[in-house]
Amino acid sequence: MPHHLVLVGHGMVGHHLLQLLAERDALAAWHVTVLAEEDRPAYDRVHLSSAFTGTDAAELSLSTPQFLAEHGIDLRLGDPAEHIDTAARTVTTTSGATVPYDALVLATGSYPFVPPVDGADAPGCFTYRTLYDVESLTEYAAREDVRTGVVIGGGLLGLEAAGALRTLGLDTHVVEFAPRLMPLQVDDGGSAALRATIESMGVAVHTGVGARAVETDTDGSARALHLTDGRVVDADVVVFSAGVRPRDRLAREAGLAVGDRGGVVVDAHCRTTDPYVYAVGECAQTFDGRVYGLVAPGYQMAEAAADALAGNGTTLFTGADTSTKLKLMGADVASFGDPFAHEGEDGEAMAVVFSDTREGVYKKLVLGPDGRLLGGILVGDAAAYGTLKPHAGRTLPASPEAYILPATGEESAALGVDALPDDAVVCSCHNVTKGAVRAAVTAEGLTDVGGIKRCTKAGTGCGGCVGTLRSVLDAELAAAGVEVARGLCEHFELTRAELYDVVRAERITSFSELIAAHGSGRAGAADGCAVCKPVVANILGTLAPELGLTHILQGEQAALQDSNDLFLGNLQKDGTYSVVPRIPGGEITAEQLIAIGEVARDHGLYSKITGGQRIDLFGARVEQLPAIWRRLVAAGLESGQAYGKSLRTVKSCVGAKFCRFGQGDSVQLAIDLELRYRGLRTPHKIKGGVSGCLRECAEARGKDIGVIATAGGWNLYVCGNGGTNPRHADLLATDLSRSELLRLTDRFLMYYVRTAERLERTAPWFERIGGLDHLTSVLIDDSLGICADLEAQLDRHAAAYRDEWQAVLDDPAALARFGTFEGDPSFLEPGRGRAAVLPDGTEAALFKATDGTVYAVDARDPFSGADVIAHGIMGTRDGAPVVASPMHKQEFDLRTGECLDDPSVRLAVHEVPDAG
């Protein structure tokens, strides 16, 4: 019969404990009850500030109903523990429920410390700890009379809170009692660099001074803050972020040992003085008398407790790495090891420092007398953090200068990772060593960082170690002689990005020219396949203005297109196509609405208003498409390109035009963006969003291009992603003017087009190329010297744009593809299928290979039942002529009809009709 485990608290550390028990298959031995104070499950407090820019509670959530149900976990939200009876081994909740336990884990965390300041409880005074705090602060700051905010506390959370107030559009001040910002993480030099960066953003910083009283208005709400030096600062909002205190009341009242300065005393197994009670995270005081206020040590405590609860007990908590790396208000800040190791004439430690006050960069490495790296501080440029941190306590394999001087830091980074021993911890959040990463790569055959994350959890915490993981992976694969296939397909040994460069540099204008010059030379290679042909079509489409090409269906290009692009519509499951006119920004005239409605009525189409702020029509047959689009084009509508790997929509809220909270004209900017980037072929489809204020009604941070209005202009976010693997976009630049925003977006899109691989969305591309640091270097600092070229290329694209449906309607040869083929099969276009009716009345799909051979097979896809085989891409697979169904890409041998992906299924093969 399972024992009873009660977990008090469902924060990050508490939930991590449950995950660790699940990984150890230990939850089957426990009936688990979780008593949570908040009314929502565990969520990511590390990224709490993202809630100010649109991230909702569901996106921050760490728990799922499936996880709880699978393991029979009884999660009781909003019913926290009120009393512990260690003799009876029961916990009483605020609702009066009594829960027995065989083991009890306290994961109650900490509470924000509010200094004894008069008026601290007035309306307008907040703490910054929970999602409720964020929601309350956001709602209050939206009041018209709230203009100025003050944060009391200049530590990690304080500066995050200051960034939040600035995001909310408030004039912001920071008050720190210590003589410098972030006194626990950086020294005077680092703090000075950080302060300069923050003040350059318009945030006023007051150090060496405290808060004396909150002055209130006639209605009792905050209006000003009196400082201890006599100054008075306007303050419609006051946020207290002056540190935290362990939540140890339950333990105290239960008679458990508590430290003099708070925290439940625990041993190396995280047991309290009662052997049936454990404590983990910020509520615990460890063997060395410390209370850790970071999530990584809490996770390590959870490891020790989980091991003990699972009956093992070999994992001990013997201290934790308190290294941190984060971006505060646009400034990179990192510290690791012991950055305050004693420096002096006695030779105990020495410092190597690089400082550039112009750029706000400060780097300091502290070395012991034996040359070992003791710790370091990086402000303004923390690119070397991932390499340096694992070396803490070890001798650096290169000179300290090589890691902090701008010219050589990148070269030494690779050397540093290679020189790390296997027992070096490369991910402190989850305590993963280099050896564990290497073992996972070998045992699981991993070839990417995503696989390392799945197998070891390394890189899934703060993310600061991702660069190191990539270097370890590359070194391990190279040492094992593993050659990861880089080529696009069997017909090209070049990647998509390399093919793009070749086409652009050599001004290649056709697939046949490209495969002749750079193909693999394998049998049947001239026909290509369903992988390489659409990729080359995409590249030629992007480079059309450079190469003098006028349309994606021009000449040989038509034979390259996937079914969607060939018919300029999105293929549906029944073989019909969608009709999606562009409606930039969601704005549409009454006449255009009427035209769409009449088309839908006359052709019997299903109509739907989409989340992308336009109207989709479904159910159009191929032969109907030209007539439909002729009417829509006449009404002033154009292709919405819901079919290609290109920009789909730029969603917007109503913004400053109508909304009382709007800070920018989001509708007009969304229109401008969509019209500028329409028709641009990209490696994967992309979407945009523009929100007129931080309430984020357009969900911009879930888009590849996200723009949010601020009091000072526009913030640009990039590489967000919805779909199966949601990812919030990263903030690339702040307070941009419209022209600055367009220039930077031009650069971003063209750099993505040039360097991404086949079907690589911006989110995984972002991770692969090196994340925000790399994009900032290339797109803002112009480290590659290509920004002017990227902008000029986008200008050429915008100038050359022509509506694709209008071009088809003006081209009789293009229009002919929308009908059934009649005539001599020898006149078929090589490499492309056509629907035909055979002499006996059978509907068939005809295909002509580049060698002139014509094939005839059933038109109906046996998997979907739709008559779409003629719309598939012809190519070769291992030298055999094949067609890939446009539905789900199953390939069929055109000689035998056999499905190469499922031999039990085949197409009927027909005799090719004679000419005549």
Side-chain angles (χ1 to χ4, degrees):
M1 187 174 185
H3 296 292
H4 289 266
L5 171 64
V6 174
L7 172 62
V8 179
H10 195 224
M12 293 182 72
V13 174
H15 183 66
H16 188 66
L17 173 71
L18 297 176
Q19 291 178 313
L20 292 170
L21 289 171
E23 290 173 8
R24 289 161 169 77
D25 295 324
L27 286 179
W30 295 96
H31 174 75
V32 181
T33 301
V34 183
L35 305 177
E37 181 176 30
E38 293 190 61
D39 59 0
R40 47 173 57 103
Y43 54 87
D44 184 358
R45 295 182 193 271
V46 172
H47 297 97
L48 184 64
S49 59
S50 67
F52 287 104
T53 53
T55 302
D56 60 28
E59 293 168 305
L60 287 173
S61 180
L62 299 174
S63 181
T64 65
Q66 294 82 1
F67 175 80
L68 299 173
E70 179 183 353
H71 299 290
I73 297 171
D74 179 14
L75 174 60
R76 304 185 186 184
L77 298 174
D79 193 16
E82 183 62 31
H83 174 72
I84 299 171
D85 185 338
T86 56
R89 292 189 206 162
T90 59
V91 179
T92 303
T93 71
T94 53
S95 68
T98 299
V99 185
Y101 68 83
D102 296 294
L104 172 68
V105 180
L106 300 175
T108 50
S110 58
Y111 64 90
F113 169 68
V114 178
V117 173
D118 290 342
D121 57 350
C125 293
F126 298 88
T127 55
Y128 178 53
R129 189 68 176 163
T130 67
L131 272 172
Y132 174 78
D133 294 335
V134 170
E135 293 163 356
S136 301
L137 178 57
T138 301
E139 181 180 0
Y140 192 88
R143 291 173 28 170
E144 292 184 0
D145 59 340
V146 174
R147 300 180 179 86
T148 305
V150 179
V151 177
I152 299 175
L156 291 175
L157 281 178
L159 295 183
E160 281 199 18
L165 293 185
R166 185 171 175 272
T167 301
L168 291 169
L170 304 184
D171 294 333
T172 304
H173 296 253
V174 175
V175 175
E176 170 55 49
F177 184 74
R180 64 174 185 262
L181 295 174
M182 293 184 66
L184 299 180
Q185 286 82 26
V186 301
D187 61 4
D188 290 340
S191 178
L194 178 61
R195 178 171 184 159
T197 299
I198 291 174
E199 288 182 331
S200 71
M201 299 178 182
V203 176
V205 178
H206 313 273
T207 55
V209 65
R212 184 169 61 81
V214 176
E215 179 183 334
T216 57
D217 213 334
T218 53
D219 63 355
S221 60
R223 61 172 293 177
L225 181 68
H226 292 254
L227 304 181
T228 54
D229 62 2
R231 286 179 293 164
V232 179
V233 179
D234 289 343
D236 302 312
V237 167
V238 178
V239 179
F240 291 96
S241 185
V244 296
R245 300 291 185 268
R247 302 187 66 179
D248 55 18
R249 178 188 65 82
L250 288 171
R252 287 179 185 274
E253 294 177 355
L256 302 177
V258 176
D260 293 339
R261 301 183 62 182
V264 187
V265 175
V266 297
D267 63 14
H269 296 282
C270 290
R271 283 193 184 92
T272 68
T273 47
D274 183 317
Y276 299 100
V277 181
Y278 298 76
V280 294
E282 295 178 350
C283 69
Q285 183 190 99
T286 59
F287 70 98
D288 55 359
R290 296 185 62 177
V291 175
Y292 291 90
L294 299 171
V295 70
Y299 280 179
Q300 293 176 36
M301 292 183 211
E303 290 268 1
D307 218 25
L309 291 168
N312 188 350
T314 58
T315 301
L316 304 179
F317 181 82
T318 57
D321 183 1
T322 57
S323 301
T324 56
K325 178 181 182 290
L326 61 160
K327 186 178 286 291
L328 293 169
M329 301 178 65
D332 286 321
V333 181
S335 67
F336 60 91
D338 182 4
F340 302 109
H342 180 65
E343 304 167 36
E345 296 180 359
D346 56 7
E348 287 186 23
M350 64 191 90
V352 180
V353 177
F354 170 79
S355 179
D356 183 349
T357 55
R358 296 169 303 173
E359 300 295 329
V361 174
Y362 175 85
K363 303 178 186 181
K364 172 184 174 181
L365 301 183
V366 181
L367 306 176
D370 55 359
R372 289 182 302 113
L373 177 64
L374 302 181
I377 296 169
L378 306 170
V379 176
D381 177 9
Y385 171 81
T387 300
L388 286 167
K389 184 176 75 68
H391 279 292
R394 306 175 188 275
T395 302
L396 289 172
S399 68
E401 292 82 3
Y403 293 88
I404 62 175
L405 294 180
T408 58
E410 193 169 312
E411 297 172 357
S412 65
L415 173 63
V417 170
D418 290 343
L420 282 175
D422 279 351
D423 63 348
V425 174
V426 293
C427 174
S428 57
C429 288
H430 294 284
N431 200 33
V432 181
T433 64
K434 175 186 173 182
V437 173
R438 293 181 60 216
V441 170
T442 301
E444 303 296 332
L446 305 179
T447 59
D448 58 21
V449 172
I452 293 175
K453 290 181 177 181
R454 290 190 298 273
C455 292
T456 68
K457 290 193 176 180
T460 61
C462 71
C465 63
V466 169
T468 305
L469 299 179
R470 184 173 293 110
S471 297
V472 173
L473 172 67
D474 291 344
E476 190 67 13
L477 292 177
V482 176
E483 183 177 352
V484 180
R486 296 175 59 255
L488 189 64
C489 65
E490 66 175 274
H491 304 113
F492 287 100
E493 295 177 356
L494 300 177
T495 66
R496 183 255 170 211
E498 290 169 338
L499 285 174
Y500 179 94
D501 289 338
V502 165
V503 171
R504 185 166 184 259
E506 300 181 14
R507 301 189 62 78
I508 293 172
T509 59
S510 69
F511 180 84
S512 57
E513 183 184 353
L514 178 64
I515 203 163
H518 299 281
S520 65
R522 297 180 182 179
D527 286 307
C529 67
V531 172
C532 61
K533 291 171 79 170
V535 168
V536 175
N538 180 278
I539 292 172
L540 293 173
T542 299
L543 291 171
E546 326 285 319
L547 304 175
L549 302 174
T550 59
H551 195 270
I552 66 166
L553 300 182
Q554 176 189 24
E556 187 191 286
Q557 280 200 79
L560 308 178
Q561 307 297 338
D562 212 339
S563 177
N564 286 355
D565 293 85
L566 180 65
F567 297 113
L568 305 181
N570 200 355
L571 177 65
Q572 305 303 309
K573 68 178 184 178
D574 62 353
T576 61
Y577 285 80
S578 66
V579 173
V580 186
R582 186 177 303 284
I583 306 177
E587 280 195 346
I588 189 168
T589 66
E591 290 77 12
Q592 290 170 335
L593 273 174
I594 292 170
I596 292 174
E598 289 178 340
V599 165
R601 179 197 62 202
D602 295 347
H603 290 274
L605 305 179
Y606 170 77
S607 56
K608 184 183 187 301
I609 298 175
T610 73
Q613 295 179 327
R614 55 188 183 184
I615 301 171
D616 288 9
L617 306 178
F618 298 91
R621 300 188 307 276
V622 166
E623 63 272 17
Q624 293 178 305
L625 291 173
I628 290 171
W629 275 105
R630 200 176 296 280
R631 294 174 63 176
L632 294 176
V633 168
L637 294 162
E638 65 177 32
S639 170
Q641 287 175 294
Y643 45 81
K645 298 297 181 282
S646 57
L647 175 71
R648 296 298 174 87
T649 63
V650 180
K651 184 178 180 180
S652 74
C653 63
V654 296
K657 280 190 175 181
F658 296 100
C659 181
R660 68 185 187 278
F661 300 119
Q663 292 183 303
D665 189 350
S666 56
V667 176
Q668 186 58 54
L669 183 57
I671 293 172
D672 294 344
L673 290 171
E674 186 161 341
L675 294 182
R676 181 162 180 78
Y677 304 125
R678 59 186 172 177
L680 178 67
R681 257 40 188 200
T682 48
H684 201 290
K685 66 181 179 183
I686 57 173
K687 298 179 181 180
V690 183
S691 289
C693 74
L694 57 89
R695 282 163 183 77
E696 251 285 73
C697 293
E699 301 165 330
R701 288 199 63 200
K703 305 292 192 293
D704 303 273
I705 306 164
V707 184
I708 300 176
T710 70
W714 301 96
N715 285 356
L716 175 60
Y717 295 82
V718 296
C719 301
N721 180 32
T724 57
N725 295 295
R727 181 188 187 280
H728 266 90
D730 279 67
L731 180 62
L732 181 60
T734 60
D735 296 336
L736 299 170
S737 67
R738 179 188 175 280
S739 60
E740 290 171 334
L741 173 71
L742 289 175
R743 275 203 310 275
L744 188 52
T745 307
D746 287 356
R747 297 174 183 181
F748 165 73
L749 284 175
M750 292 315 305
Y751 188 57
Y752 167 59
V753 165
R754 289 187 181 187
T755 59
E757 295 303 337
R758 170 183 175 264
L759 301 182
E760 185 176 36
R761 301 192 76 155
T762 59
W765 170 75
F766 176 87
E767 299 291 348
R768 178 177 62 82
I769 64 172
L772 195 61
D773 290 342
H774 178 78
L775 283 186
T776 300
S777 172
V778 172
L779 304 183
I780 296 178
D781 302 334
D782 200 12
S783 61
L784 300 180
I786 61 173
C787 286
D789 188 29
L790 297 174
E791 293 174 25
Q793 188 175 357
L794 204 294
D795 283 338
R796 289 190 291 271
H797 160 77
Y801 173 79
R802 185 186 181 200
D803 175 38
E804 291 173 354
W805 260 111
Q806 178 70 70
V808 166
L809 296 175
D810 294 340
D811 183 355
L815 282 173
R817 296 191 185 96
F818 290 81
T820 301
F821 180 79
E822 298 177 359
D824 187 344
S826 65
F827 288 103
L828 285 166
E829 295 173 279
R832 170 54 68 183
R834 290 293 300 273
V837 178
L838 301 181
D840 63 0
T842 301
E843 293 185 1
L846 302 182
F847 294 88
K848 182 179 180 180
T850 54
D851 65 2
T853 304
V854 178
Y855 303 93
V857 295
D858 269 352
R860 179 156 297 180
D861 175 14
F863 292 96
S864 67
D867 293 329
V868 294
I869 291 297
H871 305 166
I873 295 179
M874 181 185 180
T876 60
R877 180 166 161 180
D878 297 326
V882 298
V883 58
S885 169
M887 277 294 178
H888 301 295
K889 306 307 181 194
Q890 295 98 338
E891 290 187 323
F892 298 87
D893 189 324
L894 289 169
R895 301 167 304 180
T896 65
E898 180 182 348
C899 178
L900 302 183
D901 302 297
D902 184 353
S904 66
V905 178
R906 66 176 55 239
L907 298 171
V909 176
H910 302 283
E911 183 178 349
V912 178
D914 294 331

